[in-house]
Amino acid sequence: MSSYLPRRRPLADEFWFLSHRDYGTGRLLADGILGTALAGALIGELALAGYVRLQAGRVVPIDPAAEPAEPAVTGYPRHAANARRIPPPRQVGIDPLHGIVMTEITARGALYPVTDWITFLVKDVAQHVTGRMEAAGLLRPVGGVLRRRKWEPVDASTASSPGVALRYQARALVTAGAPVDQQTALLAGLTLATGLVRQVDVDDMSNLRDALLEVVNTLPDDALTVLRAVQDSVTAQARQVRR
């Protein structure tokens, strides 16, 4: 990525910004769809960090003490031979949200598919993600005791940065064949699955949608299971609304 682009945030944080207005508390998705996408993003974070492997449609916890450093999703860039090993969830330094989710996943092993984990995480994932973002100084709460708590970005330029990075990398891939990192590809897939293309670029939605599809196509098949699970859930929720 070009050096002038802002630094990256965790995938779920980036999607939260993408699904909300840069100013104020405006939200662009219904609760259920937002929760579904955030749950998928959180599973993607765990795979990118090397805590889980996505295999045959299931979320498989990785024991760092028993396995060599390998890509958590088939097709991810391999770690260098001397790379620092990913610490187990309860060690100091892990993202607390990752630790919470990995405690659940580790306790259940490789029994459940991606769709089940998304369903499990949906209820509380928005609360956990906004709590992490508040702790990082990215969001501030708005609203009193008698009103539902809402959140607004602390800095509008930071809030807009995921859309800027996504638009830039998608077009760089199409026009110059520039490499795309896996987090960007997952963010592109979540953007398409939830219909947020307009938020990324309202003036060039059609071309951007095609570019985002090219970005998603760089993902390995196992990683695509997360995006398919999110899209299937979003489609089911849309059908329920239309009835």
Side-chain angles (χ1 to χ4, degrees):
M1 181 182 294
S2 177
S3 60
Y4 68 81
L5 289 175
R7 72 182 183 88
R8 304 301 298 270
R9 307 288 178 179
L11 178 59
D13 296 12
E14 290 194 340
F15 185 82
W16 193 98
F17 275 140
L18 202 63
S19 60
H20 290 74
R21 301 292 183 191
D22 299 339
Y23 298 91
T25 61
R27 189 182 57 188
L28 304 172
L29 294 174
D31 284 348
I33 293 176
L34 175 61
T36 296
L38 290 176
L42 189 51
I43 292 171
E45 284 186 27
L46 296 175
L48 290 169
Y51 292 114
V52 302
R53 177 181 294 110
L54 302 172
Q55 186 175 18
R58 296 182 180 274
V59 179
V60 181
I62 294 175
D63 180 359
E67 299 193 25
E70 291 287 340
V73 179
T74 305
Y76 277 34
R78 291 181 176 271
H79 300 289
N82 61 348
R84 182 176 64 84
R85 300 177 66 81
I86 299 294
R90 292 197 174 101
Q91 282 193 2
V92 175
I94 185 176
D95 182 320
L97 180 49
H98 291 177
I100 291 171
V101 180
M102 282 306 302
T103 296
E104 297 289 344
I105 292 177
T106 302
R108 289 162 176 77
L111 297 176
Y112 299 101
V114 173
T115 51
D116 285 1
W117 280 113
I118 288 178
T119 300
F120 176 80
L121 293 170
V122 159
K123 180 179 179 181
D124 299 320
V125 68
Q127 175 184 345
H128 286 308
V129 170
T130 53
R132 177 174 71 179
M133 295 176 75
E134 181 187 20
L138 301 174
L139 299 179
R140 55 176 165 245
V142 177
V145 176
L146 298 180
R147 292 190 298 167
R148 174 182 174 182
R149 173 171 282 195
K150 296 182 179 181
W151 304 88
E152 67 178 5
V154 171
D155 179 70
S157 62
T158 300
S160 65
S161 64
V164 171
L166 184 58
R167 185 169 60 247
Y168 176 89
Q169 288 209 41
R171 287 173 176 155
L173 171 67
V174 172
T175 60
V180 177
D181 64 272
Q182 302 295 327
Q183 178 165 324
T184 295
L186 287 168
L187 185 61
L190 293 170
T191 301
L192 290 169
T194 55
L196 280 176
V197 179
R198 177 184 293 272
Q199 170 68 4
V200 180
D201 193 337
V202 67
D203 296 321
D204 195 17
M205 282 188 296
S206 179
N207 289 336
L208 180 60
R209 185 178 292 106
D210 292 341
L212 292 179
L213 284 171
E214 291 293 326
V215 172
V216 172
N217 286 336
T218 67
L219 284 169
D221 289 342
D222 286 338
L224 291 173
T225 59
V226 174
L227 300 180
R228 293 191 188 104
V230 170
Q231 186 167 44
D232 288 347
S233 178
V234 169
T235 300
Q237 291 177 59
R239 287 173 178 167
Q240 290 175 355
V241 170
R242 288 197 294 268
R243 287 178 181 175

